[in-house]
Amino acid sequence: MAVCRNGGDFAAPVISISVPVVVSGAGGPAAAGIALGIFAGGSALGGLVYGALRVPESPIRQLLVLTTALVTISSLIALVTGAVSVTIVLATAGLFFSPVMIVAYFAAHQAGGEHRQNSATTWVNTSHNIGASLGSALAGIIIQATNVPGATIGIVAGAAVLLIASAASGRGSTNARR
């Protein structure tokens, strides 16, 4: 199921691992905490706004577009320096995190059919937890071995592979239903 291959869950952890490193010289732990709090606030705001919209696209297409936006904006963390720039990137990226999760649950619920909705939405939790765990571990290892830009490029490349696989899988299942 394409819903389970959510590249955003793989890429978003690079934020929580990278931010303390990026802002260590510009405000340290307090700046990192504020920036990550702004990310969470942006996520809440994005969820509220997206939940109020009526988007005509299929859930799978919405998920691919939103996840691509989340991964793309999150990747800017590799290019910015300073607490203010990092916070602006995180506020913007945060706007897409909750919408990704909302649409992932909706798409899974829909894909599960009448008798498998619970198990389908459980896979959203499972893929989120696995993606976040793997993404965090990989980001930490790569940051330690190289730097934040190196980790970001590596994690974003992995997320891009997952997004491409999801798009191909979603297209194949759409064609099979016709």
Side-chain angles (χ1 to χ4, degrees):
M1 172 170 46
V3 173
C4 296
R5 293 185 207 106
N6 187 346
D9 291 334
F10 189 69
V14 79
I15 290 172
S16 61
I17 305 300
S18 297
V19 168
V21 176
V22 172
V23 299
S24 64
I34 291 168
L36 292 169
I38 298 280
F39 175 77
S43 178
L45 179 62
L48 289 170
V49 170
Y50 201 79
L53 298 175
R54 295 212 185 272
V55 182
E57 296 294 328
S58 73
I60 296 298
R61 179 152 171 84
Q62 289 179 56
L63 187 58
L64 290 171
V65 169
L66 290 167
T67 302
T68 300
L70 174 62
V71 169
T72 302
I73 295 167
S74 297
S75 70
L76 296 176
I77 201 84
L79 304 174
V80 299
T81 57
V84 173
S85 298
V86 168
T87 302
I88 291 169
V89 168
L90 292 181
T92 307
L95 293 172
F96 293 92
F97 187 75
S98 283
V100 164
M101 295 306 295
I102 290 167
V103 174
Y105 280 107
F106 181 70
H109 191 263
Q110 188 178 47
E114 187 177 330
H115 301 290
R116 298 189 60 200
Q117 292 172 342
N118 275 351
S119 63
T121 55
T122 300
W123 277 107
V124 173
N125 280 342
T126 302
S127 68
H128 173 73
N129 292 335
I130 290 170
S133 298
L134 288 175
S136 294
L138 287 172
I141 291 167
I142 298 170
I143 287 171
Q144 186 70 32
T146 62
N147 52 26
V148 170
T152 303
I153 290 166
I155 298 297
V156 167
V161 167
L162 291 173
L163 284 167
I164 291 167
S166 294
S169 175
R171 197 172 309 129
S173 64
T174 300
N175 291 340
R177 282 185 249 154
R178 289 183 184 170

